[in-house]
Amino acid sequence: MKQEYTITVYTENHIGLLNRIAIMFSRRKINIESLNTSPSEIEGIHRFTILINETEEVVRKISRQIEKQVDVLKVYYNTNDEIIWQELALYKVPTDEITEKVKVERLLREFGARAVVIRKDYTIFEATGQREETDKLITVLSEFGLIEFVRSGRVAIIKSSKGFHDKLKEFELTIPSEEAIENELIGPQTEIFIV
Amino acid sequence: MTHPITFDKTNITPTDTTPKTISGSQAVLEAMIAENVDTIFGYPGGAIMPIYDALYDYNDRLKHVLVRHEQGASHAAQGYARVSGRTGVVFATSGPGATNLITGLADAMIDSTPMVCITGQVFAHLLGTDAFQETDVINITTPVTKWNYQVTDANEIPSVLAKAFYIANSGRPGPVLIDITKNAQIQQFNYLGYQSCTHIRSYRPKPIIRKEYIQEAADLINAAERPFVIFGQGVILGKAEQEFKNFIEKGGLPAAWTILGLSALATDHELNVGMLGMHGNYGPNVLTNQCDVLIAVGMRFDDRVTGRLDKYAKQAKVVHLDIDPAEIDKNVKTTVAVWGDCKETLPLLTEALQEKQHTAWLNLFKEHQQKEEEIVIYNELHPTTEELSMGEVINVLNELTNGDAIIVTDVGQHQMVTCRYAKFKQSKSNVTSGGLGTMGFALPAAIGAKFGAPDRTVVSVIGDGGFQMTIQELGTIMQTKLNVKILILNNRFLGMVRQWQELFNEKRYSFVDIESPDFVMVAKGYGISGKSIEQRSELREALAEMLNHDGPYLLEVFTGKENNVFPMVPQGCSVSEIRLK
């Protein structure tokens, strides 16, 4: 049964790695719904957040393949309830609609949208939130003449994670300590992290 | 066993502490020497000229083999790596030189062969301008390499090459490509000596073995009544042939091989029950669906071996020993996964095993062998037809080589027949293109194999189709006077496709009747002795002449035009549905 999975990939900051990871999805005809790259809490370590809609088996297999790549440190995959996530959206509306129709103003306050820029002919709003919220705002605003819309990729933090610092120290050792090995291959994946 | 925990971030002592100024090209060659490379297969060109110029002074330390096509260089490096266990090295120029390597890289990638390819590239300031012989090599080869990198500054060369060799050889081996721009090759820099790479923090080639899983696997095997071991190239790559033999002998476990695992266990070993796969032996295929514990060692459950996955060993508990964690549970669900280097996991597993014999179960394999012998094997090895069969040629070859030769096969019917009937006594004796099935593989691979194992007899068995794909490498044999034996099994067809067209497409032979030149005359043009035979009475003498000839020799044997290879598991069928005719 397909559902949304967020794949978090910790990597070295090397050029060309984005391509290496992206082709692994296209090879298996998996659509990347969103992809975000960002620095992580550790200098020199990058973090990819990839959103796909697939079955658990497909996600598990592709995560293992991604982890095999030389510049990839670790890969985690989570369903929506295991993460805290946000997406950002920008909406461009005609300014006269905003000034004339009080309803629009109330709507925007309801969604926690804030005005980024106000010009004579257009206003740009920004809204952050879950997919349904930002989507709903589009349908609402298009009634009043939505000129342009764009949504960012998903950024997510895994609820039970402890950051990557300790894991990195482990990887820098030539011989990892005994308890540090987690073998997700065997048994059900009950806990997300075993440090 | 405790180890002091050290942070291996800084390099310790360089090999040669006197700082000197050398060019990037010289640094490349110094790296080759430091990594114990002795043979390079390559073809020069504009963008790699500085390296070749430096190579001119290294003639005493590095041997370079000039091939006739870069694809030949890549396959030669593969053949070299397969028989010696060392890294194959390829030099090629930019543009078409690099793109000609793709087939070889894809083959090495899917068959896990350690290989380092150095390609020249245009000057860094010309990148992206469609310059002469410029291609985006890095992006083209990304899916077919384990790792690749473009060097634009000579200072990076020693560390990048160290990393390349480390990655190519560790964990599950694979090909690595390093693209060096011409300015980096020419650039003079401060060389501080070569330090080999032993650790990359984002790359874990070998895990620490979890003892609980070894015990769990051993318990399963000890309780099994019909245990069956299937093994592949992992045993050879891990250099674990002796450990594997100890393992199966202690448990009395019958073992069958994939074509890349062939020769890891001597073919006449009592517990060696035959070949797996689409054209494998009857017993191993059928009894896979009757065993109660299936133990896979260093094999990846390729679709040619498993047939229909939903009808493959569903009744068995599966134990999978593999070094690559992504392979475990990829195709077949495992009960106990023993993730690790089989050289380390096998002895631990053997220790926990009880000494046993499974005579009745082993006899079941022998019974199936007998049935296959009657229906298929005897007729193939002792045909009564006028035309020669491929099997009988291989049979006589076995007798003359005594199972000691290295046999390199191309792709097709002859490959399946050779893998089925060839006899091997020692490991690293079978070189073939398994995962990718590259036609044209054998001739250059045999060249590489002879360089990798100069003291052993190397016989390449090639079909009339595959031979024409890389026929230009006869030039390499001519120039190096290499003592490689070429045995062409000519059935005047693209045999394997023709067989499928006969069995599944109502004999609609669409473009499979291929015409070949007079191979003996072509060989003669290359200064290579040869002969062509068609009669059974000539066979033994001709093969003996080929093997005893002092120098390269081409023997063309005409075989039955429409012979089929059996047994066969048709595509989409289960291994139990293997056809004997």
Side-chain angles (χ1 to χ4, degrees):
Chain A
M1 191 206 55
K2 289 190 179 187
Q3 60 173 307
E4 280 192 345
Y5 277 91
T6 304
I7 302 175
T8 308
V9 187
Y10 280 95
T11 72
E12 301 281 4
N13 192 1
H14 288 159
I15 305 171
L17 193 53
L18 176 63
N19 187 33
R20 255 197 194 263
I21 294 178
I23 61 175
M24 307 197 82
F25 290 90
S26 66
R27 176 182 175 176
R28 291 164 178 78
K29 276 210 148 357
I30 299 174
N31 190 28
I32 298 178
E33 312 235 334
S34 96
L35 188 149
N36 180 65
T37 71
S38 93
S40 72
E41 60 274 13
I42 304 165
E43 198 185 312
I45 304 289
H46 238 57
R47 177 184 175 137
F48 287 69
T49 309
I50 305 168
L51 175 66
I52 61 174
N53 197 327
E54 283 294 337
T55 61
E56 198 264 342
E57 193 178 321
V58 170
V59 176
R60 174 174 48 89
K61 287 180 186 177
I62 197 173
S63 299
R64 294 224 188 118
Q65 293 289 345
I66 298 174
E67 207 168 61
K68 257 170 81 168
Q69 293 298 325
V70 174
D71 289 323
V72 169
L73 285 143
K74 196 91 185 90
V75 178
Y76 301 105
Y77 62 92
N78 300 102
T79 53
N80 284 347
D81 7 294
E82 294 163 348
I83 55 171
I84 304 287
W85 60 275
Q86 294 282 67
E87 288 167 352
L88 182 109
L90 292 175
Y91 309 81
K92 189 192 250 184
V93 266
T95 309
D96 35 359
E97 298 290 319
I98 302 299
T99 49
E100 278 171 35
K101 301 206 168 109
V102 179
K103 202 174 170 196
V104 173
E105 210 183 340
R106 196 188 308 141
L107 268 162
L108 293 169
R109 249 183 287 138
E110 218 177 283
F111 286 93
R114 59 178 202 91
V116 178
V117 81
I118 304 173
R119 294 266 129 83
K120 218 186 329 184
D121 43 345
Y122 68 84
T123 304
I124 297 184
F125 287 98
E126 167 216 303
T128 322
Q130 307 276 291
R131 180 71 57 79
E132 305 83 53
E133 296 160 15
T134 45
D135 273 348
K136 196 155 172 223
L137 192 51
I138 305 173
T139 33
V140 163
L141 279 180
S142 39
E143 285 172 37
F144 300 100
L146 175 67
I147 304 172
E148 197 173 337
F149 164 76
V150 69
R151 179 164 52 220
S152 79
R154 172 183 289 205
V155 286
I157 285 189
I158 305 168
K159 285 182 190 166
S160 63
S161 81
K162 299 176 177 66
F164 201 62
H165 204 261
D166 292 334
K167 201 118 207 92
L168 183 63
K169 290 235 295 265
E170 233 175 81
F171 290 158
E172 290 188 334
L173 298 175
T174 49
I175 295 151
S177 53
E178 286 292 338
E179 356 40 10
I181 316 298
E182 75 244 29
N183 206 332
E184 328 89 358
L185 311 164
I186 290 90
Q189 188 165 356
T190 45
E191 264 192 77
I192 298 152
F193 280 73
I194 309 158
V195 172
Chain B
M1 191 168 67
T2 51
H3 299 266
I5 296 174
T6 51
F7 280 79
D8 196 65
K9 270 179 140 170
T10 53
N11 294 309
I12 311 147
T13 38
T15 49
D16 173 9
T17 43
T18 52
K20 47 188 180 182
T21 311
I22 60 171
S23 68
S25 310
Q26 288 172 298
V28 170
L29 301 173
E30 289 294 328
M32 296 289 138
I33 295 171
E35 291 286 349
N36 211 11
V37 171
D38 61 16
T39 314
I40 300 167
F41 302 93
Y43 202 95
I48 199 171
M49 272 182 73
I51 290 182
Y52 271 83
D53 186 64
L55 189 57
Y56 198 71
D57 298 321
Y58 279 75
N59 242 335
D60 50 337
R61 287 161 284 173
L62 287 170
K63 182 165 44 191
H64 178 277
V65 179
L66 175 65
V67 295
R68 296 300 181 267
H69 189 282
E70 288 89 352
Q71 182 184 353
S74 60
H75 292 318
Q78 283 183 278
Y80 176 88
R82 295 269 180 94
V83 303
S84 65
R86 300 165 67 176
T87 315
V89 178
V90 177
F91 281 5
T93 189
S94 64
T99 54
N100 279 340
L101 294 176
I102 308 256
T103 307
L105 287 170
D107 198 305
M109 184 74 176
I110 202 166
D111 278 347
S112 312
T113 311
M115 206 158 96
V116 172
C117 299
I118 309 280
T119 52
Q121 181 60 278
V122 302
F123 286 97
H125 67 269
L126 289 174
L127 287 170
T129 62
D130 296 324
F132 180 63
Q133 292 194 327
E134 182 210 347
T135 44
D136 188 0
V137 182
I138 293 295
N139 283 318
I140 294 175
T141 56
T142 297
V144 293
T145 51
K146 204 172 161 187
W147 185 65
N148 60 10
Y149 189 80
Q150 185 176 70
V151 174
T152 48
D153 184 327
N155 286 290
E156 293 184 304
I157 289 177
S159 55
V160 167
L161 282 177
K163 200 169 163 183
F165 276 92
Y166 175 60
I167 293 170
N169 271 301
S170 55
R172 180 178 179 177
V176 172
L177 183 133
I178 306 297
D179 195 39
I180 308 181
T181 57
K182 202 165 178 182
N183 59 298
Q185 296 171 37
I186 298 170
Q187 180 187 348
Q188 297 278 326
F189 75 107
N190 231 354
Y191 181 61
L192 301 162
Y194 184 83
Q195 295 97 343
S196 55
C197 177
T198 52
H199 178 244
I200 301 169
R201 72 177 176 186
S202 57
Y203 172 61
R204 277 150 299 147
K206 246 170 43 158
I208 297 252
I209 300 154
R210 293 263 272 230
K211 303 282 173 62
E212 316 87 80
Y213 300 122
I214 300 268
Q215 193 51 54
E216 223 178 293
D219 291 339
L220 267 181
I221 302 172
N222 285 333
E225 289 179 3
R226 297 180 304 281
F228 184 24
V229 175
I230 51 180
F231 65 97
Q233 201 190 181
V235 176
I236 302 179
L237 290 172
K239 302 179 171 55
E241 293 90 340
Q242 186 57 49
E243 288 82 354
F244 181 73
K245 200 151 90 94
N246 297 343
F247 168 64
I248 57 170
E249 282 174 358
K250 187 167 183 193
L253 310 165
W257 35 271
T258 65
I259 59 169
L260 282 181
L262 172 55
S263 83
L265 183 67
T267 43
D268 59 3
H269 191 279
E270 211 232 344
L271 290 167
N272 188 332
V273 294
M275 175 168 151
L276 294 162
M278 189 178 252
H279 286 286
N281 293 115
Y282 184 53
N285 272 302
V286 167
L287 295 175
T288 304
N289 279 343
Q290 287 183 33
C291 64
D292 57 357
V293 176
L294 186 67
I295 304 128
V297 185
M299 60 89 76
R300 60 182 174 91
F301 291 111
D302 178 66
D303 63 272
R304 297 285 124 159
V305 164
T306 63
R308 272 181 79 151
L309 278 171
D310 59 352
K311 290 194 179 158
Y312 182 78
K314 285 291 166 204
Q315 82 293 342
K317 295 206 164 46
V318 180
V319 178
H320 195 174
L321 277 75
D322 207 284
I323 199 170
D324 183 348
E327 288 300 335
I328 298 178
D329 279 340
K330 185 183 90 177
N331 285 339
V332 172
K333 205 96 190 66
T334 39
T335 316
V336 181
V338 183
W339 177 26
D341 183 344
C342 64
K343 191 155 179 85
E344 295 169 13
T345 52
L346 280 172
L348 293 171
L349 193 52
T350 312
E351 212 183 299
L353 225 55
Q354 288 162 9
E355 228 174 284
K356 268 191 181 189
Q357 302 239 23
H358 295 275
T359 333
W361 172 233
L362 188 61
N363 279 336
L364 199 51
F365 283 94
K366 295 199 168 46
E367 277 169 39
H368 282 79
Q369 168 83 2
Q370 188 57 35
K371 186 169 177 191
E372 190 185 344
E373 180 82 34
E374 287 164 18
I375 302 179
V376 182
I377 300 180
Y378 190 78
N379 295 329
E380 182 65 28
L381 300 184
H382 310 279
T384 48
T385 55
E386 210 182 296
E387 296 176 312
L388 287 164
S389 77
M390 291 189 182
E392 78 178 296
V393 178
I394 301 300
N395 202 23
V396 179
L397 182 66
N398 283 332
E399 290 171 25
L400 294 172
T401 59
N402 204 16
D404 287 325
I406 293 174
I407 300 190
V408 183
T409 49
D410 205 84
V411 168
Q413 288 185 315
H414 70 279
Q415 175 193 30
M416 292 295 112
V417 171
T418 309
C419 289
R420 280 172 56 79
Y421 299 116
K423 300 278 175 247
F424 293 112
K425 287 206 183 122
Q426 48 179 308
S427 184
K428 293 189 170 46
S429 298
N430 177 49
V431 181
T432 190
S433 173
L436 200 64
T438 313
M439 281 177 70
F441 174 82
L443 189 60
I447 294 171
K450 188 67 183 173
F451 276 103
D455 301 326
R456 294 183 63 186
T457 310
V458 175
V459 180
S460 57
V461 183
I462 319 182
D464 43 312
F467 188 65
Q468 290 184 68
M469 283 221 179
T470 46
I471 195 170
Q472 79 280 347
E473 297 309 320
L474 287 176
T476 315
I477 297 176
M478 168 183 76
Q479 189 160 5
T480 52
K481 300 179 177 39
L482 201 60
N483 190 352
V484 166
K485 312 298 179 192
I486 305 164
L487 176 59
I488 302 181
L489 299 179
N490 190 342
N491 60 359
R492 285 137 301 178
F493 264 120
L494 297 176
M496 189 55 93
V497 181
R498 186 213 53 76
Q499 174 170 339
W500 282 53
Q501 286 172 343
E502 178 187 325
L503 296 174
F504 310 121
N505 291 17
E506 295 121 30
K507 275 197 174 186
R508 287 149 60 89
Y509 290 165
S510 178
F511 299 103
V512 286
D513 53 339
I514 184 169
E515 274 183 37
S516 303
D518 182 338
F519 288 131
V520 178
M521 202 187 281
V522 172
K524 190 157 172 216
Y526 277 102
I528 297 171
S529 313
K531 189 190 219 148
S532 179
I533 62 162
E534 210 168 339
Q535 303 295 332
R536 189 161 289 127
S537 51
E538 304 170 283
L539 182 61
R540 183 171 288 266
E541 198 182 312
L543 279 172
E545 188 184 338
M546 172 186 86
L547 290 168
N548 294 327
H549 183 85
D550 181 23
Y553 195 96
L554 183 145
L555 176 64
E556 177 185 23
V557 179
F558 283 99
T559 59
K561 278 189 83 173
E562 287 181 63
N563 286 359
N564 287 328
V565 183
F566 280 107
M568 180 178 186
V569 180
Q571 190 158 44
C573 290
S574 122
V575 286
S576 310
E577 294 166 6
I578 185 169
R579 290 171 57 157
L580 281 169
K581 47 179 187 275

